[in-house]
Amino acid sequence: MPISRIPSGIKGLDSLVEGGFPAPSVILISGTAGSGKTTFAFQFLMEGAKKGEKGLYISTLSERTEWMLRFMSNYEFFDPKYLEDGTIIYEDIGKDLGTLDNMKLIIRINEILAEHVPQRIVIDPINVVNNFVDNYRQFLFELVTLLKNWSAVSILTGEIKEGEKYPEDVGYTADGIISLLMKTEDNVIKRYIQILKMRGTAHSMALHPLDITSNGIEVLKARF
Amino acid sequence: MPISRIPSGIKGLDSLVEGGFPAPSVILISGTAGSGKTTFAFQFLMEGAKKGEKGLYISTLSERTEWMLRFMSNYEFFDPKYLEDGTIIYEDIGKDLGTLDNMKLIIRINEILAEHVPQRIVIDPINVVNNFVDNYRQFLFELVTLLKNWSAVSILTGEIKEGEKYPEDVGYTADGIISLLMKTEDNVIKRYIQILKMRGTAHSMALHPLDITSNGIEVLKARF
Amino acid sequence: MPISRIPSGIKGLDSLVEGGFPAPSVILISGTAGSGKTTFAFQFLMEGAKKGEKGLYISTLSERTEWMLRFMSNYEFFDPKYLEDGTIIYEDIGKDLGTLDNMKLIIRINEILAEHVPQRIVIDPINVVNNFVDNYRQFLFELVTLLKNWSAVSILTGEIKEGEKYPEDVGYTADGIISLLMKTEDNVIKRYIQILKMRGTAHSMALHPLDITSNGIEVLKARF
Amino acid sequence: MPISRIPSGIKGLDSLVEGGFPAPSVILISGTAGSGKTTFAFQFLMEGAKKGEKGLYISTLSERTEWMLRFMSNYEFFDPKYLEDGTIIYEDIGKDLGTLDNMKLIIRINEILAEHVPQRIVIDPINVVNNFVDNYRQFLFELVTLLKNWSAVSILTGEIKEGEKYPEDVGYTADGIISLLMKTEDNVIKRYIQILKMRGTAHSMALHPLDITSNGIEVLKARF
Amino acid sequence: MPISRIPSGIKGLDSLVEGGFPAPSVILISGTAGSGKTTFAFQFLMEGAKKGEKGLYISTLSERTEWMLRFMSNYEFFDPKYLEDGTIIYEDIGKDLGTLDNMKLIIRINEILAEHVPQRIVIDPINVVNNFVDNYRQFLFELVTLLKNWSAVSILTGEIKEGEKYPEDVGYTADGIISLLMKTEDNVIKRYIQILKMRGTAHSMALHPLDITSNGIEVLKARF
Amino acid sequence: MPISRIPSGIKGLDSLVEGGFPAPSVILISGTAGSGKTTFAFQFLMEGAKKGEKGLYISTLSERTEWMLRFMSNYEFFDPKYLEDGTIIYEDIGKDLGTLDNMKLIIRINEILAEHVPQRIVIDPINVVNNFVDNYRQFLFELVTLLKNWSAVSILTGEIKEGEKYPEDVGYTADGIISLLMKTEDNVIKRYIQILKMRGTAHSMALHPLDITSNGIEVLKARF
């Protein structure tokens, strides 16, 4: 019984993971500031929306919706109609951080999931929660447990420090971990993507060059 | 009086440890995310099941049983009949974490052991317990003491940070430590296995290349 | 709908970020001591003032206004008339640190913003707040949330330790991150600038040499 | 007045320390997991037993006596008769950890020493005590003070992290420190021994290759 | 309006900073033990005294005055008459540390400043205060704020760990930072000086060799 | 007025520090375990004793006097008659640690100094105090202040971790710092001595090879 998969929406990525992300699954997208995590997340949601899959974007940043979408609207893959017609839902839990405790925050997220029943879920960025909850590792454990109870593909974005590969707090419980890397070579930052973990998947073990253009993120053919 | 041994189920590994794991013993399998710890653990249990040895898999992740098994079912070594006929038992203590204190968690694990009397035991991953108990090092000490009172071969999987070789919290009390390594060479991740410790055993001291295919984990002949 | 942009005031920088900083946005300028963060901030404000844009400089250092301005007055870009005629406002919250709690400090900054309604905002340096508030990461989160509610371009300067690229406390929520680097090469410190993140902008990924002269900061053409 | 010495029981070691360990003295044997600390300790006790010297092995691991001895019994130097006839005493204080405070644990160890009056003492591994007592460094200080009141040669084994040379908590008060090293060279772990400190002794300052075979630990002639 | 400057008293230094230290200003002199921080400070005070400028040396070490002066008296630049006639005042706040809280210590230093109204101020070493006050970073912030209210040039000496360039606690608020470096080259320690920051000053960016002789500290011509 | 100096007792050392240690002064001797700190200290005391200078050795280790002296008696420089006739006094404050608080410990040491009025003082090793007092850095500050009130040359030995050069807690207040280094070169530990700081002294800046033989510590002529 082969594992069912869905396309990631990132050009050049699916062929590295046997055709797409396992469905259901919880995938961690990690990278430093500016590595393209939010862009990755929106490409993932837009890909689903084009096929009618309901998407949910949960922001932890307490920004007005327009603020973030303005930056995304520069990308050609971004089609605002899916936000307008409710195929993609934008929710902000930034205002709940600091007022809700661990358990209530989990309950709040569950309510959002129950209301929209999405097939693709994004929580971006997950690490900001660390500033507010008492026990971040417990929260992550319970959040991933919650997400695994919904038959969706969930993406958590995690900002890491330079030199880290992924946020170790959540690595063991994620089904997949993809690292967006920025390496300084000859005084220029080069972008790479690496699949560190993808359960049930014979995935690429290589560091693949990446480009971010007006088309969004694209995995390039390596030229080593 | 030679030490009795049991086959590990990992192709190419037994010849590096005088024919198999000492029985009884407590073995630590360490590796970063995506290094194959869970796959190793299930190969170990399936190997025993084929010979009629009762196996116990204790998950700490609070996942529905199907979630994990779905990913494992892609491997050719995986035979679901052993889970169906009770040769391999799947128990989840994830839901007990956070509600039971150190001592009660030890008692709970002891009850599971007493109920099933397994010959092969897996606790995967052990490090998640660190998020919940007051004194993780004491817990590990008492857990390994408990396991040594059962005449089984126990495998604890431990997720480590990049650059670590094994979780130092548990190294001294384990009878064996095996490290699953992922090293980036020429922009590709290469997999290796290294036996750091195996009491009573003249074990290999080399870094052996490893492959993970649909057959599971296999230790390759080194070609240095 | 292209993103509107404003010139940074730094010679040679705008061409690296599609013509200027996105407006509105929150930009983090990071660098070690002596890297030119305050000079950058005043060039940014003077550039706006020349075009009639109202600027606000919030100092966290509790210095008499003359103290800092004296050092700035050596630069040719610096025109004191804009401070005299109120185009650029100099406010000091250094005296409020240690007496106001997190929430009251946010309210105090909001009051300053409401009084002056600036188009360009500088808070310099932001990291000193860390010595006074209980939860610096929460404060940063709430400060950036506040700034995003004003339709201005805000610059936060952050002093970093050598070896750091940017203050990780604030990276995820900033729309842009620019690093002012000082690298010792052949026993001489060389200055560089690097744009690590600029949302909605196809920005340069290179390390660009920088010079600080009586004209202020200037990005040089790379000669690698 | 030359210092009296006793043979260590490790082939090739005594010639590096003017003929043997100073008697009395407290010696620290440090190494990572799998480096041979317990094997070293038993060779040391067996060497004494052959000459009629009473030995005491204090385990901190709360293992059944048979568990550890089973692994040791594979070595040719190991003669179980010395454990049967009481020349070597095996005591377990693992069960006392967590129930006794610092002072009572010291008193307990003193009682064991008073009961058996050994000439050779081993406490293996000492670092596990760190998980249980309030102030480990104070405990170590008092333990070594206690051991120095008995006219014996005492060996404390200490597990260290990779990259450490010895446990710094106890270095200053030990009369000798011997490091069992495992270095990865050309993808193979090589074993070495190094004498870092031996009071009153003109000791070797070199890194000596080591082998562990069915004969136990043996210091090899260096071939640099 | 050019910034007014005063000579530093260090031979070869003034030409690297447009003729001298900006007046008023707060300058941080950092270096490891033995790097010459106290010698630098006394040269600075003696230089002023020769021109009739009143100097104040505040020691934090609780040493009898003779103890430190004895070591300084070996230098040819050192003229005891300036201490005898009150041109240079030696005050010790070491005895106040541990008895005064943060605020009272600031008040105490302010009283000393008000009593003597110095043109050149030294506090040597500032970091010892860290052992006594509750919040060292707040103390530093308030101390520098205090010093900026006096129209003097103040020197704070800060002892750093090897590998550090300057004490990060105080870098952002200082007007200048000078690092006295000791680098081991070919098994000999070489001395260097580096100006990391000097507000309002186009300063040297190079590492300049330094010598300490009976004439005190002298910046040498680089011979790279 | 030249600074008065006393010979160190270490062959080859005095010529590197203008003839000897400044008197009075407080000198820190730092090194890892086995680097020869205690040997250095006894050579220093024996050198004084030969000239009739009273010496005081304060041990912090709570060892019976014979225990340590036994190891020292192997050295040819060691003459037990000076301990027998009271020229050198051996005091142990190890038993006071843990029972006296910071202030009482300082008073206790002052009483010992007042009783014996030594010209040469050793406290060996000072770092063990860190395990017992509440605020070690304050204790060190007060201890050195105390020692500076006695007109003696005091030596504090400090054990450091590998990679450290000296214990940073005490560096700023010591008049001199000497580092006893052990470097592994070609798989052999080589010994070196380096004078990092010596107030009022134009000292060697080089790393000098060192040997420890039956004659004690000797500084060798460098052969670089």
Side-chain angles (χ1 to χ4, degrees):
Chain A
M1 183 191 66
I3 292 172
S4 69
R5 297 182 187 274
I6 65 171
S8 66
I10 310 298
K11 193 175 165 188
L13 177 58
D14 292 348
S15 65
L16 307 178
V17 289
E18 293 193 23
F21 293 151
S25 64
V26 177
I27 310 288
L28 178 66
I29 307 297
S30 69
T32 55
S35 60
K37 298 182 296 295
T38 297
T39 304
F40 189 112
F42 269 101
Q43 278 183 267
F44 167 75
L45 293 179
M46 285 290 163
E47 175 72 17
K50 279 189 280 180
K51 299 187 296 177
E53 294 171 18
K54 191 147 195 182
L56 171 67
Y57 178 91
I58 298 180
S59 168
T60 59
L61 289 185
S62 199
E63 296 171 338
R64 286 168 298 139
T65 312
E66 315 86 81
W67 189 276
M68 170 64 81
L69 296 183
R70 177 173 47 104
F71 291 123
M72 281 300 126
S73 67
N74 246 17
Y75 288 115
E76 291 172 19
F77 68 78
F78 185 86
D79 193 339
K81 80 172 174 208
Y82 295 124
L83 282 131
E84 290 154 12
D85 70 11
T87 307
I88 297 177
I89 303 291
Y90 186 105
E91 287 275 351
D92 182 358
I93 60 166
K95 56 191 169 300
D96 298 319
L97 300 177
T99 60
L100 300 182
D101 65 15
N102 253 15
M103 194 171 58
K104 285 186 182 146
L105 199 53
I106 291 289
I107 291 171
R108 172 85 183 98
I109 293 171
N110 197 31
E111 286 171 356
I112 298 173
L113 294 174
E115 185 185 344
H116 302 296
V117 195
Q119 288 152 285
R120 296 186 178 224
I121 301 168
V122 166
I123 305 183
D124 176 41
I126 188 61
N127 47 287
V128 65
V129 179
N130 195 8
N131 305 344
F132 292 93
V133 300
D134 282 340
N135 189 329
Y136 179 51
R137 296 168 66 98
Q138 268 190 31
F139 171 80
L140 285 174
F141 180 81
E142 282 158 17
L143 174 63
V144 175
T145 298
L146 170 64
L147 291 171
K148 287 181 177 171
N149 282 322
W150 292 91
S151 285
V153 177
S154 299
I155 279 184
L156 305 178
T157 70
E159 187 148 324
I160 50 174
K161 300 182 192 180
E162 246 211 303
E164 277 188 319
K165 278 214 162 163
Y166 59 92
E168 282 145 6
D169 300 317
V170 72
Y172 58 86
T173 183
D175 299 310
I177 302 177
I178 292 176
S179 186
L180 301 177
L181 298 162
M182 295 170 80
K183 296 173 66 170
T184 301
E185 297 170 359
D186 297 332
N187 283 319
V188 176
I189 299 176
K190 296 281 180 60
R191 298 179 182 278
Y192 294 96
I193 191 171
Q194 193 168 34
I195 300 150
L196 296 172
K197 176 180 181 180
M198 194 62 68
R199 282 189 176 144
T201 306
H203 61 83
S204 163
M205 300 291 282
L207 206 67
H208 296 271
L210 196 78
D211 206 2
I212 305 185
T213 67
S214 61
N215 289 311
I217 296 175
E218 181 179 353
V219 181
L220 304 176
K221 300 289 184 199
R223 292 157 311 196
F224 299 117
Chain B
M1 182 191 66
I3 292 172
S4 68
R5 298 182 186 275
I6 64 171
S8 66
I10 309 298
K11 193 174 166 188
L13 177 58
D14 293 347
S15 65
L16 307 178
V17 289
E18 294 193 24
F21 293 151
S25 64
V26 177
I27 310 287
L28 178 66
I29 307 297
S30 69
T32 55
S35 60
K37 298 182 297 295
T38 296
T39 304
F40 189 113
F42 269 101
Q43 278 183 268
F44 167 75
L45 293 179
M46 285 290 162
E47 175 72 17
K50 279 189 282 181
K51 299 187 296 176
E53 294 171 17
K54 190 146 195 183
L56 172 66
Y57 179 90
I58 298 180
S59 168
T60 59
L61 289 185
S62 198
E63 296 171 337
R64 286 168 297 139
T65 312
E66 314 86 80
W67 189 277
M68 170 65 81
L69 296 183
R70 176 173 49 104
F71 292 122
M72 281 299 126
S73 67
N74 246 17
Y75 288 116
E76 291 171 19
F77 68 77
F78 186 85
D79 192 339
K81 81 171 173 208
Y82 295 123
L83 283 131
E84 291 153 12
D85 69 12
T87 308
I88 296 176
I89 303 292
Y90 186 105
E91 287 275 351
D92 182 358
I93 61 167
K95 57 192 167 302
D96 298 319
L97 300 176
T99 61
L100 300 182
D101 64 15
N102 253 15
M103 194 170 59
K104 285 186 182 148
L105 198 54
I106 290 289
I107 290 171
R108 171 86 183 96
I109 292 170
N110 197 31
E111 286 171 356
I112 297 173
L113 294 173
E115 184 185 344
H116 301 296
V117 195
Q119 287 152 285
R120 296 184 178 226
I121 301 168
V122 166
I123 305 182
D124 176 41
I126 189 61
N127 48 287
V128 66
V129 178
N130 196 9
N131 305 343
F132 293 93
V133 300
D134 283 339
N135 189 328
Y136 179 51
R137 295 169 66 98
Q138 269 191 30
F139 172 79
L140 284 174
F141 180 81
E142 282 158 17
L143 174 63
V144 175
T145 298
L146 170 65
L147 292 171
K148 287 182 178 173
N149 281 322
W150 291 91
S151 286
V153 176
S154 299
I155 279 184
L156 304 179
T157 70
E159 187 148 326
I160 50 174
K161 300 182 193 182
E162 246 211 304
E164 279 188 319
K165 278 215 162 164
Y166 59 92
E168 282 146 6
D169 300 317
V170 73
Y172 59 85
T173 183
D175 298 310
I177 302 178
I178 292 176
S179 187
L180 302 176
L181 299 161
M182 295 170 80
K183 296 173 67 171
T184 301
E185 297 170 0
D186 296 332
N187 283 319
V188 176
I189 299 176
K190 296 282 180 62
R191 299 179 183 277
Y192 294 96
I193 190 170
Q194 193 168 33
I195 300 151
L196 297 172
K197 177 181 181 180
M198 195 64 67
R199 282 189 176 143
T201 306
H203 61 81
S204 163
M205 300 291 282
L207 206 67
H208 297 270
L210 196 78
D211 206 2
I212 305 185
T213 67
S214 61
N215 290 310
I217 296 176
E218 180 179 353
V219 181
L220 305 176
K221 300 291 183 198
R223 292 156 312 194
F224 299 118
Chain C
M1 185 190 66
I3 292 172
S4 68
R5 297 183 187 273
I6 65 170
S8 66
I10 310 297
K11 194 174 165 188
L13 177 57
D14 293 348
S15 65
L16 307 178
V17 289
E18 293 193 24
F21 293 151
S25 63
V26 177
I27 310 287
L28 178 66
I29 306 298
S30 69
T32 55
S35 61
K37 297 182 297 296
T38 297
T39 304
F40 189 111
F42 269 102
Q43 279 183 265
F44 167 75
L45 293 179
M46 286 290 163
E47 175 71 17
K50 279 189 283 182
K51 299 186 297 178
E53 293 171 17
K54 190 145 194 183
L56 171 66
Y57 178 91
I58 298 180
S59 167
T60 58
L61 288 185
S62 199
E63 296 171 336
R64 288 167 297 140
T65 312
E66 314 87 82
W67 190 276
M68 169 65 80
L69 296 184
R70 177 172 48 104
F71 292 123
M72 281 300 125
S73 67
N74 246 17
Y75 289 116
E76 292 171 17
F77 68 79
F78 186 87
D79 193 338
K81 81 170 175 210
Y82 295 123
L83 283 131
E84 290 154 11
D85 70 11
T87 308
I88 296 176
I89 303 291
Y90 186 105
E91 287 275 352
D92 181 358
I93 61 166
K95 56 193 170 300
D96 297 320
L97 301 177
T99 61
L100 299 183
D101 64 17
N102 252 15
M103 194 172 58
K104 286 186 180 145
L105 198 54
I106 290 289
I107 291 171
R108 171 86 184 98
I109 292 170
N110 197 31
E111 286 171 356
I112 298 174
L113 294 174
E115 184 185 345
H116 302 296
V117 195
Q119 288 151 287
R120 294 183 180 228
I121 301 168
V122 166
I123 304 183
D124 177 40
I126 189 61
N127 48 286
V128 63
V129 179
N130 196 7
N131 306 343
F132 292 92
V133 300
D134 282 339
N135 189 329
Y136 179 53
R137 295 168 68 98
Q138 267 192 30
F139 171 80
L140 285 174
F141 180 81
E142 282 157 18
L143 174 63
V144 175
T145 298
L146 170 65
L147 292 171
K148 287 181 178 172
N149 282 322
W150 291 92
S151 285
V153 176
S154 300
I155 279 184
L156 305 178
T157 70
E159 186 148 324
I160 50 174
K161 300 182 192 181
E162 247 211 303
E164 277 188 319
K165 278 215 160 163
Y166 60 92
E168 282 146 4
D169 299 318
V170 74
Y172 59 87
T173 183
D175 299 310
I177 303 177
I178 291 176
S179 186
L180 301 176
L181 298 162
M182 296 170 78
K183 296 174 65 171
T184 301
E185 298 170 359
D186 297 331
N187 283 319
V188 175
I189 299 176
K190 295 281 179 60
R191 297 179 184 279
Y192 294 95
I193 191 170
Q194 193 168 34
I195 300 149
L196 296 172
K197 176 181 182 180
M198 194 64 67
R199 282 188 176 145
T201 306
H203 61 82
S204 163
M205 300 291 282
L207 205 68
H208 296 270
L210 197 79
D211 206 4
I212 305 184
T213 68
S214 61
N215 289 311
I217 296 175
E218 181 179 352
V219 181
L220 305 176
K221 301 287 184 201
R223 292 157 311 197
F224 299 118
Chain D
M1 183 189 67
I3 292 172
S4 69
R5 298 183 186 275
I6 64 169
S8 66
I10 310 298
K11 193 174 166 188
L13 177 58
D14 292 347
S15 65
L16 307 178
V17 288
E18 293 193 23
F21 293 150
S25 64
V26 177
I27 311 287
L28 178 65
I29 307 298
S30 70
T32 55
S35 60
K37 298 181 299 295
T38 297
T39 303
F40 189 112
F42 269 101
Q43 278 183 267
F44 167 75
L45 293 179
M46 285 290 163
E47 175 72 17
K50 279 189 281 181
K51 300 187 295 177
E53 294 170 18
K54 190 146 194 183
L56 171 67
Y57 178 91
I58 298 180
S59 168
T60 59
L61 289 185
S62 199
E63 296 170 337
R64 286 168 296 139
T65 311
E66 315 86 80
W67 188 277
M68 169 66 80
L69 296 183
R70 176 172 49 104
F71 291 123
M72 281 300 126
S73 68
N74 246 18
Y75 288 116
E76 291 172 18
F77 67 78
F78 186 86
D79 192 338
K81 80 171 175 210
Y82 295 123
L83 283 132
E84 290 154 11
D85 70 12
T87 307
I88 297 176
I89 302 292
Y90 186 105
E91 287 275 350
D92 181 358
I93 61 166
K95 58 193 166 300
D96 298 319
L97 301 176
T99 61
L100 299 182
D101 64 16
N102 253 14
M103 192 171 60
K104 285 187 181 147
L105 198 54
I106 291 290
I107 290 171
R108 172 84 183 98
I109 292 170
N110 197 31
E111 286 172 356
I112 297 174
L113 294 174
E115 184 185 344
H116 301 297
V117 196
Q119 288 151 287
R120 297 184 177 225
I121 301 167
V122 166
I123 305 182
D124 176 41
I126 189 61
N127 48 287
V128 65
V129 178
N130 196 9
N131 305 344
F132 292 92
V133 300
D134 283 340
N135 189 328
Y136 179 51
R137 295 169 66 98
Q138 269 191 29
F139 172 80
L140 284 174
F141 180 81
E142 282 157 18
L143 174 63
V144 175
T145 298
L146 171 66
L147 291 171
K148 287 181 178 172
N149 282 322
W150 292 93
S151 286
V153 176
S154 300
I155 280 184
L156 305 178
T157 69
E159 187 148 325
I160 50 174
K161 300 182 193 182
E162 245 211 305
E164 279 187 319
K165 277 215 162 163
Y166 59 92
E168 282 146 4
D169 300 317
V170 73
Y172 59 86
T173 183
D175 299 310
I177 303 177
I178 292 175
S179 187
L180 302 176
L181 299 161
M182 295 170 79
K183 296 172 67 170
T184 302
E185 298 170 359
D186 297 331
N187 283 319
V188 176
I189 299 176
K190 296 282 180 62
R191 298 179 183 278
Y192 294 97
I193 191 170
Q194 193 168 33
I195 300 150
L196 296 172
K197 177 181 182 180
M198 194 64 66
R199 282 189 176 143
T201 306
H203 61 81
S204 163
M205 299 291 283
L207 206 67
H208 296 270
L210 197 78
D211 205 3
I212 305 185
T213 66
S214 61
N215 289 312
I217 295 176
E218 181 178 353
V219 181
L220 305 177
K221 301 290 183 197
R223 292 156 311 196
F224 299 118
Chain E
M1 185 190 64
I3 292 173
S4 69
R5 296 182 187 275
I6 64 170
S8 66
I10 310 298
K11 194 175 165 187
L13 177 57
D14 292 348
S15 65
L16 307 178
V17 288
E18 293 193 25
F21 293 150
S25 65
V26 177
I27 311 287
L28 178 66
I29 307 298
S30 69
T32 55
S35 61
K37 297 182 297 296
T38 297
T39 303
F40 189 112
F42 269 102
Q43 279 182 266
F44 167 75
L45 292 179
M46 285 290 163
E47 175 73 16
K50 279 190 281 181
K51 299 187 296 178
E53 293 171 18
K54 191 145 194 183
L56 172 66
Y57 177 92
I58 298 180
S59 167
T60 58
L61 288 185
S62 199
E63 296 171 338
R64 285 167 298 139
T65 313
E66 314 87 80
W67 188 277
M68 169 64 81
L69 297 183
R70 177 171 49 104
F71 291 123
M72 282 300 127
S73 68
N74 245 18
Y75 288 116
E76 291 171 19
F77 68 78
F78 186 86
D79 192 339
K81 81 172 173 208
Y82 295 123
L83 282 131
E84 290 154 12
D85 70 12
T87 307
I88 296 175
I89 303 292
Y90 186 106
E91 287 275 352
D92 182 358
I93 61 166
K95 57 193 169 300
D96 298 319
L97 301 176
T99 62
L100 300 183
D101 64 17
N102 253 15
M103 193 172 59
K104 286 187 180 145
L105 198 53
I106 291 289
I107 291 172
R108 172 85 184 98
I109 291 169
N110 197 30
E111 287 171 355
I112 297 173
L113 294 174
E115 184 185 345
H116 301 296
V117 195
Q119 289 152 285
R120 294 182 180 228
I121 300 168
V122 166
I123 304 183
D124 177 41
I126 189 60
N127 49 287
V128 64
V129 178
N130 196 8
N131 306 343
F132 292 93
V133 300
D134 282 339
N135 189 328
Y136 179 53
R137 295 168 68 99
Q138 268 192 29
F139 171 81
L140 285 174
F141 179 81
E142 282 158 17
L143 174 63
V144 174
T145 298
L146 171 65
L147 291 171
K148 286 181 177 173
N149 281 323
W150 291 91
S151 285
V153 177
S154 299
I155 279 184
L156 304 179
T157 69
E159 186 148 325
I160 50 175
K161 300 182 194 182
E162 247 211 303
E164 278 188 318
K165 278 215 162 163
Y166 59 92
E168 283 145 5
D169 299 318
V170 74
Y172 59 86
T173 184
D175 299 310
I177 303 177
I178 292 176
S179 186
L180 302 176
L181 299 162
M182 296 170 79
K183 295 173 67 170
T184 301
E185 298 171 358
D186 298 331
N187 283 320
V188 176
I189 300 176
K190 295 283 180 59
R191 298 179 184 279
Y192 294 96
I193 190 171
Q194 193 167 34
I195 300 149
L196 296 172
K197 176 182 183 180
M198 193 64 67
R199 283 188 174 146
T201 306
H203 60 82
S204 163
M205 299 291 282
L207 206 67
H208 296 270
L210 197 79
D211 205 3
I212 305 184
T213 68
S214 61
N215 290 311
I217 296 175
E218 182 179 352
V219 181
L220 305 176
K221 301 288 184 198
R223 292 156 312 196
F224 299 117
Chain F
M1 183 191 66
I3 292 172
S4 70
R5 297 182 186 275
I6 64 169
S8 66
I10 309 298
K11 194 174 165 187
L13 177 57
D14 293 347
S15 66
L16 306 178
V17 288
E18 293 193 24
F21 292 150
S25 64
V26 177
I27 311 288
L28 178 66
I29 307 298
S30 70
T32 54
S35 61
K37 297 182 298 296
T38 297
T39 304
F40 189 112
F42 269 103
Q43 277 182 268
F44 167 75
L45 293 179
M46 285 290 162
E47 175 72 16
K50 279 190 280 181
K51 300 187 296 177
E53 293 171 18
K54 191 145 194 184
L56 172 65
Y57 178 91
I58 298 180
S59 168
T60 59
L61 289 185
S62 199
E63 295 171 339
R64 286 167 297 139
T65 311
E66 314 87 81
W67 189 278
M68 170 65 80
L69 296 183
R70 177 172 49 104
F71 291 123
M72 281 300 127
S73 68
N74 245 18
Y75 288 116
E76 291 172 19
F77 68 78
F78 187 86
D79 192 339
K81 81 171 174 210
Y82 295 122
L83 282 132
E84 290 155 12
D85 69 12
T87 306
I88 296 175
I89 302 293
Y90 186 105
E91 286 275 351
D92 181 358
I93 61 166
K95 57 193 167 301
D96 298 319
L97 301 176
T99 62
L100 300 182
D101 64 17
N102 254 14
M103 192 172 61
K104 285 188 181 145
L105 199 54
I106 291 288
I107 290 171
R108 172 84 184 98
I109 292 169
N110 197 31
E111 286 171 356
I112 297 173
L113 294 174
E115 184 185 345
H116 301 296
V117 196
Q119 289 151 286
R120 296 184 178 227
I121 300 167
V122 166
I123 304 183
D124 177 40
I126 189 60
N127 48 287
V128 65
V129 178
N130 196 9
N131 306 344
F132 293 93
V133 300
D134 282 339
N135 189 328
Y136 179 52
R137 294 168 67 99
Q138 268 192 30
F139 172 80
L140 285 174
F141 180 81
E142 283 158 17
L143 174 62
V144 175
T145 298
L146 171 65
L147 291 171
K148 286 180 178 173
N149 282 322
W150 291 92
S151 286
V153 176
S154 300
I155 280 184
L156 304 178
T157 69
E159 187 147 326
I160 50 174
K161 300 183 193 182
E162 246 210 305
E164 278 187 318
K165 277 215 162 162
Y166 58 92
E168 282 146 5
D169 300 317
V170 74
Y172 59 85
T173 185
D175 299 310
I177 304 177
I178 292 175
S179 186
L180 302 176
L181 298 162
M182 296 170 79
K183 296 174 66 170
T184 301
E185 298 171 359
D186 297 331
N187 283 320
V188 176
I189 299 176
K190 296 284 179 61
R191 297 178 183 278
Y192 294 97
I193 190 170
Q194 193 168 32
I195 300 149
L196 296 173
K197 177 181 183 180
M198 193 65 66
R199 282 188 175 144
T201 306
H203 60 83
S204 163
M205 298 291 281
L207 206 67
H208 296 270
L210 197 79
D211 206 2
I212 305 184
T213 67
S214 61
N215 289 311
I217 296 176
E218 181 179 354
V219 181
L220 305 177
K221 301 290 183 198
R223 292 156 311 196
F224 299 118

